[in-house]
Amino acid sequence: MPRITIKRAFGQRNVFQGEALIATIHDHRHNPERRAAGTQVYDNWNVCWRNGRVDWHETYSEARDNALKGQ
């Protein structure tokens, strides 16, 4: 199975397995629109998987560890 890597680009972190994008990691710590827009934000970081699942985490290290495990 190809290695999972995280590459930062355009304000987000992209998670690849080999050459395939499998998830993105987003920082919601300083997003002033997150509550005003009526979106439900659970924690500071999320991992958005290509299958539609979203995992919320309190810290980047938790989000990163989750992403590096793969789906």
Side-chain angles (χ1 to χ4, degrees), residues 21-47:
L21 178 69
I22 61 168
T24 56
I25 301 174
H26 300 270
D27 179 357
H28 287 274
R29 292 173 298 165
H30 305 291
N31 185 348
E33 300 171 2
R34 72 182 192 173
R35 298 210 192 275
T39 57
Q40 192 167 14
V41 175
Y42 299 101
D43 272 318
N44 294 324
W45 295 86
N46 71 23
V47 179

Side-chain angles (χ1 to χ4, degrees), residues 2 5-7 9 14 16-17 19-21 26 33 35 38 42 47 51-53 55-56 58 65 67-68 70:
T5 58
I6 299 173
K7 299 177 184 175
N14 300 313
F16 293 91
Q17 187 163 25
E19 296 295 320
L21 178 69
H26 300 270
E33 300 171 2
R35 298 210 192 275
Y42 299 101
V47 179
N51 65 6
R53 188 179 84 209
D55 298 331
W56 287 92
E58 180 62 31
D65 292 347
L68 290 174

